[in-house]
Amino acid sequence: MIALPTPTLIALDAVGTLFGLKESVGAVYARFAAKGGVSVSAAALDQAFFNAFQAAPPCAFAHVAAADRPRAEFAWWQAVAADTFARAGVLDQFEDFRGFFAPVFSYYATAAPWHLYPEVSTVLESWHQYGIPLVIISNFDSRLYGLLKQLGLAPFFSAVVISSEVGAAKPDPAIFERAIAPYGISPQQAWHIGDSWQDDVLGAQAAQLQPIWLRRATRLLPDSGIEHPNSVVQITDLRELNAILGCSATS
């Protein structure tokens, strides 16, 4: 592994880094659609969701009042879902798309569709006890707060920074800058760990944080296929970073 400086702060992505989906978005959408009499394959919806998600504007609402933000978040995800079903050729089969989508949106606010990656709780506990501040930087929405509590992760983090509140989404450097600002440190003193080349690695680099690319076996969305330089620190499991922090702790 490329040599890393010991961090003063560790930032982490959420989905795909700390926890992931038990089944694909397409499988969930297809199951809920079937309840409303709309038949479409999970595979078709998976491809359509990937394209719709990539085409969507950032889930970031700089000029939306806090009281109106949940409605903006719902509308953003409903638009992505509607585009997904339109690309799959079945949107016109829904009599009430909002009525279909509301329980889907609520479902993803529960722990039911998510699973923690095996090492996450143990690793976060050890890092937390070591005394390094941990923060989340995520392009998710305000449902993330409840999810972290349900998954038992909330106590580990001193801050949760989400794009819908900041008004900027990764890879925009502004969300990284907002996350570290309260700690009075330089960007070079912080690690950022995430599974997305575009959002996490390039975003952290643009903000001058130390990027660490977590390459788990599966991701919610595939990488774009660009060539990735070997100079970027790559891991497959968060435990690979314990040696660095452990050496520092015993020195």
Side-chain angles (χ1 to χ4, degrees):
M1 181 186 293
I2 300 169
L4 284 171
T6 303
T8 302
L9 176 146
I10 299 176
L12 299 104
D13 173 51
V15 179
T17 298
L18 301 175
F19 55 91
L21 291 167
K22 293 178 180 177
E23 57 183 335
S24 73
V25 173
V28 172
Y29 279 13
R31 187 170 67 252
F32 276 83
K35 295 177 183 178
V38 176
S39 179
V40 57
S41 76
L45 289 175
D46 279 329
Q47 183 59 53
F49 175 78
F50 170 73
N51 294 331
F53 190 87
Q54 295 291 82
C59 182
F61 312 111
H63 305 295
V64 174
D68 297 326
R69 193 173 297 123
R71 286 191 291 274
E73 293 170 346
F74 179 89
W76 189 90
W77 280 106
Q78 180 176 291
V80 171
D83 190 22
T84 297
F85 282 95
R87 290 171 186 266
V90 295
L91 180 61
D92 59 355
Q93 296 183 30
F94 290 91
E95 294 183 5
D96 174 14
F97 190 81
R98 190 186 191 285
F100 151 77
F101 183 68
V104 177
F105 186 81
S106 296
Y107 176 66
Y108 281 112
T110 72
W114 306 100
H115 68 95
L116 279 180
Y117 294 114
E119 85 282 12
V120 166
S121 294
T122 301
V123 168
L124 292 182
E125 176 67 32
S126 64
W127 293 357
H128 184 66
Q129 289 182 354
Y130 179 53
I132 301 176
L134 305 177
V135 304
I136 285 179
I137 304 176
S138 175
N139 286 352
F140 207 175
D141 54 64
S142 57
R143 290 174 295 175
L144 182 57
Y145 296 110
L147 275 177
L148 293 173
K149 291 179 181 178
Q150 293 177 62
L151 294 171
L153 300 180
F156 299 127
F157 294 96
S158 59
V160 177
V161 180
I162 57 176
S163 61
S164 64
E165 292 182 355
V166 172
K170 297 180 295 184
D172 189 328
I175 191 171
F176 296 92
E177 293 163 0
R178 177 73 68 86
I180 69 171
Y183 298 90
I185 63 173
S186 68
Q188 295 82 3
Q189 292 176 279
W191 287 356
H192 177 70
I193 306 166
D195 69 311
S196 168
W197 172 260
Q198 182 73 28
D199 292 343
D200 295 305
V201 175
L202 297 186
Q205 286 179 334
Q208 300 182 55
L209 280 71
Q210 170 63 60
I212 298 172
W213 191 18
L214 177 58
R215 304 192 71 179
R216 296 194 184 276
T218 59
R219 292 191 65 235
L220 174 63
L221 296 173
D223 287 309
S224 59
I226 62 175
E227 262 187 62
H228 308 301
N230 293 328
S231 59
V232 173
V233 177
Q234 301 181 31
I235 60 173
T236 59
D237 187 302
L238 293 175
R239 285 171 292 197
E240 294 174 43
L241 299 170
N242 281 344
I244 299 170
L245 300 175
C247 287
S248 173
T250 57
S251 62

